[in-house]
Amino acid sequence: MRSVRKAAGEPDEERLVRLVAKGDRAAFDELYRRTAPWLAVRLRRRCADEQIVAEVMQETYLAVWRAAGAFAGAAVGGTAVGWLWTIAARRLVDAFRRRAHHAEPPPAAAAHPVAPAAEEEALAATVGGDVGDALRRLAPELRAVLQAMVLDGLTVRETSVLLGVPEGTVKTRARRARTEMRRALA
């Protein structure tokens, strides 16, 4: 993931996280100002429920404030923006689990077909022909990995967090998806 836009001479997001770890409220405010709009858009791509998105945003930035000292950053090949997305993705998965655990879908919901996700519609609109057909024939878990890694540009680690599966499973699914796509397009 690349850095979110900043003005010349301003500290980058990694530096802001380091300052937040020292309790710098102004650095936290600046980090929030730079990353919250971007983060909200990414969360909305995964969840249409504004209440959940708002909760996840709040939980994410609270976690950033509390755990900024644990950020390893470039020393382990990470970025501040990637770290922030990883926290948000975990919080989103947790929110989905809480919601699924506490709620039963209304009986009427099963009677109506589920509208395709915005990502599915975008994928269908941008990837047509044989490639689009091959993508649609992929198993949902393989397609989800491809969408996260190719469309969203997530790393294996970030995809793992988002989908709630081990990194090895993400790699295996990505390899299987590529193999099946090659076979379908041959």
Side-chain angles (χ1 to χ4, degrees):
M1 293 191 164
R2 59 187 174 270
S3 179
V4 178
R5 292 188 329 204
K6 66 179 181 76
E10 290 183 355
D12 64 7
E13 287 78 18
E14 184 166 343
R15 177 75 179 129
L16 289 172
V17 171
R18 302 252 182 255
L19 292 170
V20 169
K22 295 176 182 177
D24 186 332
R25 177 63 190 217
F28 179 80
D29 291 344
E30 178 63 16
L31 182 67
Y32 180 86
R33 184 190 65 75
R34 283 190 204 173
T35 59
W38 165 86
L39 186 60
V41 167
R42 286 198 79 168
L43 288 170
R44 285 185 190 109
R45 286 161 107 199
R46 298 284 181 194
C47 176
D49 187 328
E50 284 296 320
Q51 182 179 359
I52 291 177
V53 170
E55 290 171 10
V56 168
M57 292 284 291
Q58 184 175 5
E59 291 173 10
T60 297
Y61 284 100
L62 181 59
V64 167
W65 179 256
R66 290 179 176 166
F71 172 64
V76 294
T79 64
V81 174
W83 180 68
L84 193 73
W85 173 245
T86 300
I87 292 170
R90 285 180 181 158
R91 296 300 185 267
L92 184 59
V93 168
D94 290 344
F96 286 153
R97 286 181 181 150
R98 280 192 307 270
R99 178 75 46 108
H101 180 72
H102 294 294
E104 288 292 323
H112 302 294
V114 177
E119 289 172 334
E120 293 290 336
E121 289 179 357
L123 182 63
T126 59
V127 182
D130 294 339
V131 174
D133 293 340
L135 274 172
R136 284 184 281 285
R137 284 193 301 262
L138 283 177
E141 65 273 8
L142 301 181
R143 191 170 48 248
V145 168
L146 277 184
Q147 284 178 326
M149 294 180 75
V150 176
L151 292 179
D152 291 343
L154 300 180
T155 65
V156 169
R157 176 177 290 162
E158 293 164 344
T159 301
S160 168
V161 170
L162 180 68
L163 300 177
V165 297
E167 289 181 37
T169 302
V170 170
K171 291 176 185 177
T172 300
R173 288 179 181 175
R175 187 176 62 248
R176 282 181 49 210
R178 285 190 301 270
T179 300
E180 288 187 28
M181 289 292 292
R182 277 190 210 107
R183 190 176 305 128
L185 296 171

